[in-house]
Amino acid sequence: PHAAAAKGLETFKVTNVFGVLISGVIGQVAYNWAPYALPLFMGIGSLLGISPLLLILQSPPDPTDSTHLNFWAAAAGALLAVPLATLQICLLNVSKPEVRGTISG
């Protein structure tokens, strides 16, 4: 079970990186299309990312085949990364010009 969990965590981390990159591009397109679409995109991605995590938690403790766990870990990693790439843009838009960049580096 430890090897399956380690492989699932590694899958989650790798797809999280790709999810940040892809969601950054999609988030920019959504913001250019309509500024209100960016928070909707972030919220929908977060809500959809919860479902694969719930499926992982409901899986048997000692799976014979961990393929489905890796699939759900990949889906959760990509979907939960959606707000990460666009959160800094949202924080910059609500801050006063004199304090921009002090929160996020």
Side-chain angles (χ1 to χ4, degrees), residues 38 42 81-94 104:
L38 183 61
M42 292 169 57
V82 167
L84 296 178
T86 54
L87 187 60
Q88 187 173 7
I89 297 166
C90 291
L91 288 176
L92 287 175
N93 284 338
V94 298
S104 57

Side-chain angles (χ1 to χ4, degrees), residues 3 15 25 27 40 51 62 69 77 92 94-95 105:
T15 56
V25 172
L40 290 174
S51 300
D62 190 16
L69 291 178
L92 287 175
V94 298
S95 301

